[in-house]
Amino acid sequence: MRVLKFGGSSLASVARFLEVAAIVRSQPQTEPVGLVLSAPHGVTNLLVELTDLAFLGTGYQDALNGWRQRLQKMRADAAAVLGNEAQQRLQAVLAAQDATLSNRRQGVELLHYCPDHIKAQLLGLGEQFSVALMAELLLAQQVKAVLLDSVQCVKSQGDYLNAVADVPASEIALGAAVKKQPAQVYVLAGFVSSNTQGELCLLGRNGSDYSAAIVAAALRASVCEIWTDVDGVYSADPRQVKNAKLIDHLSYDEAMELSYFGAKVLHPKTIGPLARYQIPCYIKKYRDWE
Ligand code: ADP
Ligand code: ASP
Ligand code: MG
């Protein structure tokens, strides 16, 4: 298994989803791909805004409308490349997400408070949309893709919003799911997981890198590739520091240190599971935006 993770920066529109699908199709056929996806760019922030304001019963509408418009536009754009049944399945996913958002929001307004487990369920919706869309795009391109439910297969412990990986439990759940459904590409939502009670827990903001590492460790992947908008780890954030230097190679300890001190390119907990099983990690640039 090769694990490839694409961040929100690579998933801003259907055109970019199609480019990611092309990268996935170009992978060697010798091993299956575990494809871990973030939410489309900006979508989690809209959901954060919505959940932060929902308890007031007002002021959340812009975020809610923004979320609806973003995803409905992506669904409409995808219609050009999807058959009728796939379009209907995607519409059903969106309708279910809309119903979840409306119900939870009303509950939060009545409570005047948003409990963390409800917040987790809402913030994870962006990733769950990404994987539904990507699975349909790959299937439409005759790729043998299977959508694995990260809530069932990626296991964690601790806080609802900042959980810690349970790699042995993930190994059992993911191993069984993969064995049951042979495929060329396994599509998994980043950021979301579940605890031993089966409740949805998030892996912290920017946590899809960590999801990729958990999947890679649990399935003893040959490699974990983090595809993003920079071509590697630099000596400092290349967007902030003009003469930041690209670092050719880092030990697990060095990578861990850099991410703990704030290098956003990798979620700080990503390296732990990879180091444990000596899985190489590559940072790859998705494309030049500028
Ligand atoms: P993604 O959406 O793909 O997860 P992120 O925005 O989370 O991408 O992470 C990539 C960003 O990390 C880069 O655009 C860059 O600005 C930032 N970054 C911060 N520190 C570093 C660093 N030391 N090396 C590379 N990128 C860094
Ligand atoms: N979508 C989540 C976030 O914005 C997780 C991620 O993108 O890694 O924090
Ligand atoms: Mg990130």
Side-chain angles (χ1 to χ4, degrees):
M1 173 87 67
R2 298 160 53 76
V3 172
L4 273 61
K5 176 259 171 179
F6 290 84
S9 51
S10 328
L11 298 169
S13 63
V14 170
R16 289 183 184 169
F17 270 73
L18 288 168
E19 290 173 31
V20 170
I23 294 172
V24 172
R25 286 202 319 275
S26 72
Q27 296 299 305
Q29 300 280 305
T30 44
E31 285 177 287
V33 169
L35 179 63
V36 176
L37 300 179
S38 289
H41 185 60
V43 164
T44 311
N45 285 347
L46 286 170
L47 293 168
V48 169
E49 204 178 311
L50 199 155
T51 51
D52 281 351
L53 294 171
F55 81 99
L56 290 171
T58 181
Y60 62 83
Q61 290 88 347
D62 284 353
L64 180 59
N65 292 336
W67 172 81
R68 272 200 190 117
Q69 281 163 13
R70 273 298 300 283
L71 299 198
Q72 284 297 352
K73 171 154 190 351
M74 291 180 79
R75 185 199 57 79
D77 291 347
V81 287
L82 294 179
N84 282 343
E85 284 182 14
Q87 287 181 48
Q88 280 166 18
R89 284 193 295 267
L90 205 53
Q91 180 56 36
V93 169
L94 273 183
Q97 292 204 343
D98 213 324
T100 302
L101 261 181
S102 299
N103 293 339
R104 301 291 189 278
R105 192 204 56 72
Q106 282 167 26
V108 166
E109 185 178 335
L110 287 173
L111 275 175
H112 298 296
Y113 156 73
C114 185
D116 282 354
H117 70 284
I118 299 294
K119 198 169 187 179
Q121 290 171 14
L122 299 182
L123 300 192
L125 291 176
E127 272 69 11
Q128 287 163 330
F129 173 77
S130 284
V131 293
L133 172 58
M134 183 60 83
E136 294 297 355
L137 294 175
L138 289 170
L139 288 171
Q141 297 175 355
Q142 276 72 52
V143 177
K144 196 166 174 353
V146 161
L147 181 50
L148 295 183
D149 183 357
S150 294
V151 182
Q152 285 174 24
C153 296
V154 180
K155 304 301 292 182
S156 61
Q157 295 170 341
D159 293 1
Y160 289 113
L161 298 176
N162 217 349
V164 176
D166 183 342
V167 176
S170 305
E171 194 177 327
I172 295 169
L174 273 168
V178 165
K179 197 167 164 200
K180 204 166 136 195
Q181 305 173 81
Q184 187 54 34
V185 180
Y186 294 96
V187 188
L188 292 117
F191 195 35
V192 296
S193 65
S194 66
N195 60 17
T196 39
Q197 287 80 46
E199 299 168 296
L200 188 148
C201 294
L202 299 178
L203 297 164
R205 286 307 306 270
N206 208 18
S208 298
D209 305 327
Y210 189 27
S211 301
I214 300 168
V215 172
L219 295 174
R220 307 292 192 273
S222 58
V223 70
C224 179
E225 296 183 352
I226 306 289
W227 288 72
T228 184
D229 58 359
V230 283
D231 46 14
V233 179
Y234 283 77
S235 52
D237 185 343
R239 296 192 190 284
Q240 310 290 337
V241 179
K242 232 179 166 184
N243 55 355
K245 299 270 177 304
L246 181 61
I247 303 171
D248 194 46
H249 177 267
L250 285 164
S251 69
Y252 290 121
D253 281 349
E254 289 165 334
M256 210 178 303
E257 201 170 315
L258 259 173
S259 58
Y260 269 101
F261 284 107
K264 192 188 172 209
V265 64
L266 274 184
H267 179 284
K269 295 199 204 107
T270 308
I271 297 297
L274 298 176
R276 165 84 176 78
Y277 296 100
Q278 297 287 299
I279 297 167
C281 179
Y282 296 95
I283 312 291
K284 296 204 166 178
K285 188 169 188 171
Y286 167 58
R287 55 182 263 183
D288 283 314
W289 303 116
E290 288 83 22

